[in-house]
Amino acid sequence: MDSLVILILFWLGIFVASYSYKIGLGKFSSPGPGLFPFLLGCILFVLSLYRGIKVLKRAPKEEGRVGEPVIFRKLILLLLSLVFYALFLNILGYVPATFIVLTSMFRVAGYTNWLKIVLYAAIIMFISYFVFTNLGVKFPDGIFRRL
Amino acid sequence: MEIFGGLILGFKNVFDPHILLYCFVGVVIGTLVGVLPGIGPIGAMSILFPATLGISPAAAIIMLAGIYYGAMYGGSTTSILVNIPGEAASVITCLDGYQMARKGRAGPALGISAIGSFIGGTLSIVALMFVAVPLANAALKFGPPEFFALMCLSMSLISYLARGSTFNAVLMTVVGLILGTVGMDPITGFPRFYFGSATLLDGIGLIPVAMGLFGISEVLINIELKARSVLETKIKTILPTLEDWKRSIGPILRGSAIGFFFGLLPGGGAVVPTFVSYTVEKRLSKNPQEFGKGAIEGVAGPETANNAGSTGAFVPMLALGIPPNPILAILLGALMIHGVQAGPLLMQRNPEIFWGVIASMYVGNIMLLILNLPLIGLWIKLLKVPYRLLMPLILLCCLVGCYAVNSNPAEIFIMAVFGFIGYILRRLRYEPAPLIIAMILGPLMEANFRNSLIMSDGSFMIFLTRPVSAVLLAISAFLFFTAGLSAYKKTKKRITEEFGQDD
């Protein structure tokens, strides 16, 4: 896991440096938009290379564990609910999108009784709608636009 | 005289009923998130951030600041009663606070931490006034090279003081600086790293990143959290005995000084001084063997230090515009969104904010003392709310909070991505704090770097020929190289082993 992060940072360094080089480094007396990120990309490249060599030299030992399979599944489910919300909030509107996401979150949090889950999700959705709109937050209408 | 005049102006502002209300709301929410594990002050501040958009900048900052120091009070409650720190600055309090509670002395433990916090907080505000004003005046003479050097020094210090590996912290700093370059170039407005996305053209927002790294990732880590058992203990009196007082007064005074000093340093914040205070008290104690078994000094010192530290951290933010920790980075972000420029000019251009924040801290500390001593029973009840009920609520607040800043669902996506990144980083023991501070300071650092080069017609010597910048850069270089020394590594390893490095 650690080596994967180092590898990503290594490629990030190369990418940032080459991208910045393309947009123009300018001269030292009039630095272009690419100069600062170019330097940062180079530093990241060197640091991750140094770290990578050290990791490779080290005898392989126990890998950092990301979690039990059950927890990993919960993690993915939670992240997917967040992404779902980002994608569908404007399309569905606050009420349906929030209700769906809350339902999945209560399930992930460990509730098993569906009646309870739906009830809690509905209550929190309505309360939050009134609290946040009173605070001045404007939510998209989504599918209720035509009503 | 400048200080007293300013303070009077500050109090005039704070005693406006609106501002008082926001200050009160801030400290109540602070205490609440301090009590509830699973959401820290950073998460709470970023969630409430959108609610501050419609109010005056002074009220917004006062409320957000209240959350910060309020959380320091609340954090001790869970440490003492449940043995789970409500937030990172209360980790140490678990050692002796929980032991005191097991011996039936939960009341005095809670009492002394509230009183210590009050004394530490108040003494630090006095020190804050006397340090911030001359510092801001001195910084008025700074040009781009000095500011660039100052930011280099802050970042070196943040990496140097970060828990865990210094090398990892440096990596995170560089990544943060790179993230800060996304969007328009601060000098020419040239678009960079935006990949055709209108959201990225404005730069990666501070709020989605902060919420992701600190709010969402905390929830993801806590999925594994097992049900907590609150110690069933009757709290008869929260007032410490005369003997308790005698033993605590020294740690409280030393904790105030240690807290304030470490709070000033970038990367210091409220967490580091608690470790230092505990170590110092253990060394000075006649009965060091009592530490870890319920010594009141081990509660009084660190609990004072975290409040003093959180106040001290305002000095670099208010006087120089440099946030020493992620919480202050969010405060700086809030100021920026309101169009207020933090830094040495803040005191002159927006005295109502500068002095308003300072005055509000005096008032907020008194509110907290009142909230914490008699209402402790209420906070304990809150501890019994199961996490599985809290978790969806916290996530919903993150979602809405993130969306509300710009009404842009794409920012929720950014938050989710950074939530996952934050989870992986925490798992691998990378500190997310340097990343977020570097991200917010990045554009300023770049602008100062480029302006310095333009000033000197392309010569890097400008950083070394100007005395202030040369000294600051020399200190950063010194820190950078000594971080590799074995003595430093050993001490850091020992501290990590003794106290653990998890949030």
Side-chain angles (χ1 to χ4, degrees), chain A residues 1-2 5 19 23 28-29 31 33 36 47 50-51 66 71 74-75 79 86 89-90 98 109 111 138 140, chain B residues 167-168 175 185 192-193 223-224 388-389 392 395-396 403 409 420 423-424 428 430 446 450 453 457-458 460:
Chain A
M1 207 53 197
D2 203 12
V5 171
Y19 183 102
I23 57 175
F28 281 137
S29 52
F36 191 68
L47 290 178
Y50 170 77
R51 188 54 182 273
V66 173
I71 290 158
K74 283 184 172 180
L75 186 101
L79 285 171
L89 179 62
N90 269 350
T98 307
Y111 284 92
K138 287 220 161 43
Chain B
F167 191 89
N168 287 354
V175 173
D185 164 11
R192 301 178 295 188
F193 303 104
I223 295 180
E224 297 140 70
R388 57 183 189 162
L389 187 65
L395 283 174
L396 179 68
Y403 172 80
F420 183 67
Y423 173 79
I424 299 287
L428 295 174
Y430 282 83
E446 178 178 7
R450 283 165 65 178
L453 284 180
D457 203 23
F460 280 88

Side-chain angles (χ1 to χ4, degrees), chain B residues 400-412:
Chain B
V400 175
C402 182
Y403 172 80
V405 180
N406 293 317
S407 300
N408 182 358
E411 299 210 318
I412 296 177

